[in-house]
């Protein structure tokens, strides 16, 4: 028995080993095969499957040469951070978003000065996009006159000339929209320049339809003849009148194909036949749709005919309009009509609110009504620091607008705003009397404040007197200019990594901060391969004659620091320039630097206390428009870390909070602009490159020009805290410096704690 038990045990062990035997054999075979194929895979590149042998040898040879001639750089530079082939210009393109509507207007060069300008000032601004199409003009000044000066979006078709037929012109416009706009819009419309479109009603109508379906909408016209073949009609029974315009969906335009053109056919019939053959759609000829396109060929529309025609209230489009002036009058008629309708709706809703007020329970905020009814309640301050002050004004001056300047003169924006408010107050008082009675008004007092929950509030006190009488009455008018709806601006993405010339002024007393700035620049630009040139400008204030020798050079440490960075990043462009001036003037500095840079250079003027990121560089590229706009960002200035953090460790990245810093609106030494725009402004002045010119900021220079100055806060732009010492000898800048020291040091509560601590210690 013992012998049998031992045999059974050995049999069981052998049986267990037999179960795992295939597993071990498989691993062994896999290892042998991998070792066998490894040399073959290593020798034969993947390119050999797709690329011919000659090209493969050329590639491998170039790779070997690059490896032999490689430069010992720690981080290789890259030409761009984006993919040129797939990165879209706008974010909505990447997300697949499409705009609702685009209108193509067929016109001529002569009619652009009349109907084109009238369309641009009436119904065009309320539509997503309107494009004018003309034949190719022989006038060399065409684009500069219409596209640049008049701001008309005009496209000249190069393959269409004055000898081309209207059918060729229309088909070419449709093909152009298919090639360039079919992926960006859902609805497409082709009209002549004599059409008036009620923009808001047209958008509401299209919003109720599905652009994925095939539509062909317009003023229906019956076909002149019908050809039957094999029991089926090959031609549509109705086509849309081409002069009054027609609307097609994106699905219809995708299938559009140009047909062979016949001179004996109508334009509308030819277009309708093309849509019918490709999409099997014909012009919708229902009565409801026909009433939307109001067409009267014999009697062009004027302001008189529109005022007495009830059908225009349901129409989306009027054709033809007699003249460009009549188009403006018709637009004014519809605007006033919509305005009166809005006033009626407001009055109706206010009456409803008053009637519902009695049914509300006691204690709810809505129980207490505030003027004007239906608008948010006035802002209620929780502390004395949140009290909104009223600004007093008269016809000449503003009182209390700035703490540093209690009495200030009107600037252009405030002057226009207050003059409009006074005019509206006079109209409101005149509305209470007989229009035939003449009254004159005189401003006594004016008050204005900005409520963060409602808008701008005004209180106007005026003397009202009747002409021919010496009696005057004091009237008070309360006005509210509410906030409008928040509109999202189209923010393009910087798809092209355009080169930026970063200008860094360095004074003798700022040399200690230079190394920290270069560390930030290395992290943001050098280690990422940004297309940025850092031009360091060493400014030497000449109190006497500067020899320029190394032993007397105050900037020798900074120059050696730049040299060390050049050795580490040999591809980086880190030039420096040293100038000697009598006084540090930003304008004189840029006068000198602008002559050293190319005319098309994009300049980013910065200082040593600023930290920025790649995102800000992209916004600098986007927000500068050559010949039109410059960018002066507002950085987040950090408070004194000794007051904010005290004994705590200061973080590397400071959060945006009112206790940590503030948005420094007084910043005028950080700017992005084009060098050509600056030179066009400064080179015409007598003080260009004049060392005795008065000290002025670049912001003042651009404000006096025709360029638009764009200012906006930027969370990726930070200003580090630095202690400031105001120089009493500079009388022009001393008062400004003193007024800015307090806000830059800390928050009001933090400064108050220091005062309390000193009082207790004393």
């Amino acid at each position: 028995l013992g012998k049998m038990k031992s045999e059974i045990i050995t049999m069981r062990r052998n049986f267990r080993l037999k179960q795992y035997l295939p597993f071990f054999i498989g691993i062994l075979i896999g290892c042998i095969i991998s070792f066998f194929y490894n040399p073959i895979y290593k020798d034969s590149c993947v390119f050999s499957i797709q690329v011919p042998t000659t090209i493969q040898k050329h590639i491998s040879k170039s790779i070997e040469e690059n490896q032999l001639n490689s430069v010992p750089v720690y981080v290789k530079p890259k030409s761009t951070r984006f993919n040129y082939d797939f990165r879209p210009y706008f974010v909505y393109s990447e997300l697949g978003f499409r705009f609702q509507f685009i209108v193509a207007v067929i016109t001529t060069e002569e009619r652009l000065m009349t109907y084109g300008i009238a369309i641009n000032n009436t119904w065009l601004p309320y539509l997503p996009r309107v494009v004018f199409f003309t034949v190719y003009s022989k006038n060399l000044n065409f684009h500069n006159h219409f596209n640049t000066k008049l701001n008309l979006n005009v496209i000249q078709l190069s393959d269409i000339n004055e000898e081309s037929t209207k059918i060729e012109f229309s088909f070419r416009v449709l093909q152009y929209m298919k090639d360039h706009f079919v992926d960006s819009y859902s609805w497409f419309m082709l009209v002549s320049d004599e059409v008036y479109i009620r923009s808001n009603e047209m958008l509401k109508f299209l919003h109720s339809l599905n652009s994925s379906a095939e539509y062909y909408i317009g003023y229906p016209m019956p076909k002149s003849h019908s050809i039957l073949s094999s029991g089926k009609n090959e031609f549509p029974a109705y086509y849309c009148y081409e002069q009054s315009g027609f609307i097609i969906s994106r699905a219809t335009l995708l299938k559009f194909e140009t047909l062979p053109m016949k001179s004996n056919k109508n334009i509308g019939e030819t277009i309708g036949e093309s849509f019918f053959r490709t999409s099997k759609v014909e012009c919708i000829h229902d009565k409801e749709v026909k009433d939307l396109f109001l067409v009267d060929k014999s009697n062009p529309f004027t302001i008189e005919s529109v005022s007495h025609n009830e059908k225009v209230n349901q129409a989306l489009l009027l054709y033809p309009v007699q003249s460009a002036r009549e188009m403006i009058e018709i637009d004014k008629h519809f605007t006033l009509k919509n305005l009166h309708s809005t006033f009626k709706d407001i009055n109706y809703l206010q009456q409803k609110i008053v009637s519902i007020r009695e049914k509300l329970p006691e204690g709810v905020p809505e129980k207490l009504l505030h003027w004007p009814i239906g608008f948010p309640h006035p802002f209620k301050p929780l502390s004395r620091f949140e009290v909104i002050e009223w600004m007093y004004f008269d016809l000449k001056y503003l009182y209390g607008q700035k703490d540093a300047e209690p009495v200030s003169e009107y600037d252009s924006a405030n002057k226009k705003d207050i003059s409009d408010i006074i005019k509206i107050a006079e109209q409101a008082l005149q509305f209470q009397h007989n229009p035939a009675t003449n009254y004159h008004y005189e401003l006594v007092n004016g008050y204005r404040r900005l409520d963060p929950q409602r808008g701008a509030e005004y209180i106007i006190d005026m003397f009202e007197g009747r002409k021919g009488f010496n009696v005057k009455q004091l009237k008070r008018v309360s006005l509210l200019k509410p906030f409008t709806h928040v509109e999202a601006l189209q923010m393009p993405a910087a798809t092209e990594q355009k080169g930026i010339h970063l200008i860094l002024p360095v004074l003798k007393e700022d040399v200690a901060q230079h190394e920290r700035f270069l560390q930030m620049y290395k992290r943001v630009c050098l280690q990422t391969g940004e297309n940025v040139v850092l031009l360091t400008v060493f400014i030497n204030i000449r109190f006497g004659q500067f020899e320029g020798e190394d032993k007397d050079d105050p900037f020798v440490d900074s120059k050696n620091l730049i040299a060390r960075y050049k050795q580490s990043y040999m591809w980086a462009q880190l030039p420096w320039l040293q100038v000697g001036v009598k006084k540090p003037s930003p304008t004189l500095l840029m006068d000198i630097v602008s002559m050293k840079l190319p005319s098309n250079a994009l300049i980013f003027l910065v200082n040593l206390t600023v930290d920025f990121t790649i995102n800000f560089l992209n916004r600098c590229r986007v927000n500068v428009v050559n010949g039109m706009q410059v960018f002066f960002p507002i950085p987040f200035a950090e408070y004194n870390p000794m007051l904010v953090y005290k004994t705590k460790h200061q973080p590397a990245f400071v959060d945006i909070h009112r206790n940590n810093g503030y948005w420094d609106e007084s910043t005028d030494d950080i700017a992005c602009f084009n060098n050509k725009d600056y030179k066009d402004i400064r080179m015409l002045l007598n003080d260009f490159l004049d060392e005795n010119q008065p000290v002025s900021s670049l912001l003042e220079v651009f404000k006096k020009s025709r360029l638009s100055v764009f200012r906006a806060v930027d969370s990726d732009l930070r200003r580090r805290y630095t202690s400031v010492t105001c120089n009493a000898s500079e009388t022009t800048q001393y008062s400004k410096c003193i007024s800015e020291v307090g806000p830059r040091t800390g928050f009001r509560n933090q400064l108050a704690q220091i005062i309390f601590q000193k009082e207790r210690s004393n």
Side-chain angles (χ1 to χ4, degrees):
L1 292 173
K3 188 177 181 180
M4 292 178 62
K5 287 182 180 181
S6 61
E7 291 179 357
I8 292 172
I9 292 171
T10 54
M11 290 176 62
R12 288 180 178 176
R13 290 178 180 174
N14 295 333
F15 180 74
R16 291 176 183 174
L17 293 174
K18 289 180 180 179
Q19 286 181 337
Y20 297 102
L21 186 61
F23 175 73
F24 290 112
I25 294 174
I27 293 178
L28 183 61
I29 294 175
C31 294
I32 294 173
I33 293 175
S34 62
F35 288 134
F36 179 73
Y37 281 101
N38 186 33
I40 299 176
Y41 176 79
K42 191 172 184 179
D43 292 339
S44 60
C45 182
V46 178
F47 288 105
S48 62
I49 302 175
Q50 302 175 355
V51 185
T53 308
T54 55
I55 301 178
Q56 180 186 347
K57 292 181 179 178
H58 176 73
I59 293 173
S60 59
K61 183 178 180 182
S62 61
I63 292 174
E64 292 176 357
E65 291 177 355
N66 291 334
Q67 291 177 351
L68 293 174
N69 300 327
S70 59
V71 180
V73 179
Y74 297 107
V75 179
K76 293 183 179 180
K78 56 183 181 181
S79 59
T80 178
R81 296 177 57 250
F82 301 100
N83 191 324
Y84 289 107
D85 297 330
F86 302 100
R87 185 74 179 183
Y89 188 65
F90 289 99
V91 177
Y92 63 78
S93 302
E94 190 171 5
L95 299 177
F97 175 79
R98 287 192 295 270
F99 290 103
Q100 188 178 11
F101 193 35
I102 180 173
V103 179
V105 182
I106 295 180
T107 183
T108 60
E109 183 177 353
E110 294 77 14
R111 295 170 71 89
L112 278 173
M113 291 299 300
T114 54
Y115 280 97
I117 296 176
I119 292 174
N120 192 45
N121 294 323
T122 53
W123 53 267
L124 181 147
Y126 304 100
L127 295 177
R129 187 169 184 180
V130 178
V131 182
F132 296 90
F133 285 90
T134 63
V135 299
Y136 192 78
S137 176
K138 298 179 181 178
N139 185 7
L140 300 178
N141 200 30
F142 181 91
H143 181 83
N144 183 45
H145 180 66
F146 290 102
N147 294 72
T148 305
K149 293 183 178 180
L150 297 180
N151 198 23
L152 296 177
N153 190 0
V154 184
I155 295 177
Q156 305 177 65
L157 299 177
S158 57
D159 52 350
I160 299 295
N161 51 38
E162 297 178 355
E163 299 179 356
S164 303
T165 62
K166 294 182 178 180
I167 298 179
E168 294 175 347
F169 196 0
S170 301
F171 272 105
R172 184 66 186 88
V173 172
L174 288 172
Q175 188 63 41
Y176 188 93
M177 288 199 294
K178 180 181 178 181
D179 296 338
H180 296 83
F181 303 130
V182 72
D183 293 329
S184 302
Y185 295 89
S186 300
W187 294 95
F188 304 84
M189 189 173 188
L190 185 66
V191 297
S192 64
D193 53 10
E194 296 179 336
V195 170
Y196 176 80
I197 299 175
R198 301 183 65 185
S199 305
N200 295 329
E201 284 72 15
M202 179 67 76
L203 293 177
K204 291 178 183 178
F205 170 71
L206 295 178
H207 187 70
S208 63
L209 302 177
N210 182 14
S211 62
S212 299
E214 297 175 354
Y215 282 100
Y216 176 39
I217 308 171
Y219 184 77
M221 297 283 291
K223 191 165 181 59
S224 58
H225 62 277
S226 204
I227 303 176
L228 298 179
S229 176
S230 65
K232 295 182 180 180
N233 191 0
E234 294 182 351
F235 299 92
Y238 289 87
Y239 67 92
C240 294
Y241 186 46
E242 75 285 348
Q243 292 295 327
S244 62
F246 57 86
I247 304 170
I248 57 175
S249 62
R250 180 173 178 269
T252 306
L253 185 61
L254 284 172
K255 296 182 180 180
F256 169 76
E257 293 180 2
T258 304
L259 293 179
M261 303 173 188
K262 299 180 181 180
S263 58
N264 59 347
K265 279 196 174 183
N266 192 312
I267 302 175
E269 290 185 10
T270 307
I271 296 175
E273 181 181 343
S274 176
F275 288 135
F276 186 77
R277 290 191 177 184
T278 56
S279 303
K280 299 300 179 183
V281 293
E282 62 180 4
C283 186
I284 300 176
H285 51 277
D286 297 340
K287 185 180 183 303
E288 292 80 4
V289 177
K290 186 176 182 179
D291 294 338
L292 298 177
F293 294 78
L294 198 58
V295 178
D296 192 350
K297 303 178 185 178
S298 57
N299 298 317
F301 286 98
T302 60
I303 184 62
E304 289 80 9
S305 60
V306 170
S307 302
H308 299 89
N309 193 345
E310 297 182 356
K311 293 183 178 180
V312 298
N313 297 328
Q314 290 79 29
L316 305 177
L317 179 146
L318 305 179
Y319 173 83
V321 179
Q322 189 177 52
S323 62
R325 183 178 182 84
E326 292 295 333
M327 183 176 292
I328 296 175
E329 293 292 336
I330 291 172
D331 184 74
K332 180 181 179 181
H333 167 77
F334 284 113
T335 303
L336 292 175
K337 196 170 184 178
N338 293 334
L339 188 61
H340 290 309
S341 177
T342 303
F343 286 152
K344 288 181 180 179
D345 295 339
I346 292 175
N347 293 330
Y348 174 75
L349 293 175
Q350 289 178 340
Q351 293 175 3
K352 282 288 186 181
I353 292 173
V354 174
S355 62
I356 294 174
R357 173 175 170 265
E358 300 176 356
K359 301 179 182 180
L360 295 176
E362 297 292 338
V364 296
E366 289 77 9
K367 187 76 173 179
L368 182 62
L369 294 180
H370 295 272
W371 180 89
I373 299 173
F375 286 85
H377 294 185
F379 173 74
K380 186 177 180 180
L382 300 178
S383 64
R384 63 187 181 91
F385 300 108
E386 297 180 355
V387 175
I388 304 174
E389 298 178 354
W390 287 88
M391 184 188 68
Y392 180 80
F393 62 87
D394 55 19
L395 294 177
K396 292 184 178 180
Y397 300 102
L398 298 171
Y399 302 87
Q401 184 185 17
K402 302 177 182 178
D403 294 338
E405 191 178 2
V407 181
S408 57
E409 296 182 354
Y410 284 111
D411 54 12
S412 58
N414 284 319
K415 186 175 182 180
K416 184 178 185 304
D417 177 62
I418 292 177
S419 61
D420 292 341
I421 289 298
I422 295 174
K423 185 177 179 181
I424 293 173
E426 293 177 357
Q427 293 176 356
L429 294 173
Q430 185 71 30
F431 184 74
Q432 299 176 355
H433 305 286
N434 188 353
T437 307
N438 294 324
Y439 286 86
H440 64 276
Y441 300 93
E442 181 182 351
L443 178 66
V444 180
N445 301 310
Y447 306 90
R448 182 181 71 178
R449 75 172 184 177
L450 183 64
D451 192 320
Q453 296 182 177
R454 293 152 57 91
E457 296 181 355
Y458 300 85
I459 297 177
I460 309 295
D461 295 335
M462 307 187 75
F463 276 132
E464 181 185 66
R466 188 173 178 181
K467 292 183 178 180
F469 297 87
N470 294 326
V471 180
K472 293 184 179 179
Q473 293 182 349
L474 183 63
K475 299 286 186 179
R476 169 164 286 189
V477 181
S478 297
L479 302 171
L480 173 65
K481 185 187 292 184
F483 290 128
T484 58
H485 295 288
V486 177
E487 298 181 3
L489 299 178
Q490 299 177 10
M491 187 65 182
T495 58
E496 180 183 357
Q497 198 185 35
K498 185 178 180 180
I500 298 179
H501 289 76
L502 198 151
I503 310 301
L504 178 65
V506 178
L507 296 173
K508 179 180 179 180
E509 54 270 16
D510 300 333
V511 172
Q513 305 178 28
H514 193 200
E515 184 174 2
R516 182 173 180 179
F517 180 87
L518 288 178
Q519 290 176 358
M520 182 274 301
Y521 180 79
K522 178 184 71 172
R523 183 180 66 256
V524 176
C525 298
L526 298 182
Q527 292 183 349
T528 58
E530 278 292 312
N531 190 5
V532 178
V533 179
L534 176 59
L535 174 60
T536 306
V537 183
F538 298 109
I539 303 175
N540 181 50
I541 308 300
R542 291 199 307 265
F543 299 102
Q545 186 175 3
F546 178 63
E547 298 294 336
E549 298 178 1
D550 292 341
K551 62 179 181 179
D552 298 328
D553 191 353
F555 306 106
V556 63
D557 294 336
S558 294
K559 294 176 182 176
N560 293 335
L561 185 63
I562 294 175
R564 290 199 300 268
Y565 274 86
K566 282 186 177 181
Q567 292 177 358
S568 301
Y569 301 90
M570 296 183 180
W571 54 268
Q573 301 183 53
L574 300 171
W576 58 266
L577 175 69
Q578 185 165 333
V579 296
V581 294
K582 293 182 180 179
K583 50 188 175 181
S585 173
T587 309
L588 178 59
L589 169 66
M590 286 310 307
D591 290 347
I592 299 172
V593 172
S594 62
M595 303 303 294
K596 303 290 184 180
L597 299 178
S599 297
N600 61 345
L602 176 59
I603 297 176
F604 172 31
L605 179 63
V606 72
N607 58 58
L608 290 170
T609 61
V610 170
D611 294 338
F612 56 86
T613 64
I614 295 176
N615 293 330
F616 173 78
L617 295 178
N618 291 331
R619 281 190 285 273
C620 182
R621 294 182 176 102
V622 169
N623 291 329
V624 175
V625 183
N626 298 342
M628 297 180 61
Q629 180 174 287
V630 296
F631 181 40
F632 278 79
I634 299 175
F636 182 77
E638 300 174 3
Y639 289 145
N640 189 347
M642 300 297 293
L643 298 180
V644 178
Y645 306 101
K646 298 180 181 178
T647 58
K648 299 180 182 179
H649 178 69
Q650 181 182 359
F653 184 80
V654 179
D655 295 333
I656 295 178
H657 192 271
R658 68 174 186 174
N659 294 333
N660 299 335
Y662 70 105
W663 297 109
D664 191 1
E665 298 181 4
S666 63
T667 301
D668 54 8
D669 56 349
I670 304 175
C672 296
F673 55 91
N674 188 270
N675 190 24
K676 185 178 184 301
D677 296 337
Y678 179 82
K679 293 171 69 174
D680 291 344
I681 298 171
R682 290 288 302 157
M683 291 183 70
L684 298 177
L685 302 179
N686 296 328
D687 60 348
F688 181 69
L689 292 175
D690 185 5
E691 198 172 4
N692 298 319
Q693 61 177 274
V695 178
S696 61
S697 65
L698 294 181
L699 184 60
E700 297 175 356
V701 172
F702 285 109
K703 278 185 175 180
K704 296 177 182 179
S705 66
R706 59 178 180 83
L707 300 175
S708 300
V709 179
F710 177 54
R711 303 216 68 186
V713 297
D714 199 303
S715 60
D716 292 315
L717 188 66
R718 308 293 182 90
R719 184 195 288 274
R720 298 188 305 272
Y721 173 78
T722 53
S723 58
V724 179
T725 303
C726 298
N727 189 0
S729 61
E730 299 180 359
T731 56
T732 57
Q733 300 292 329
Y734 181 73
S735 59
K736 180 182 178 182
C737 178
I738 290 296
S739 63
E740 294 177 354
V741 168
R744 288 183 178 181
T745 304
F747 191 52
R748 191 189 297 265
N749 295 344
Q750 298 166 350
L751 298 176
Q753 289 178 3
I754 297 177
I755 297 175
F756 292 153
Q757 291 175 2
K758 288 187 177 181
E759 289 180 352
R760 289 177 182 178
S761 62
N762 295 333

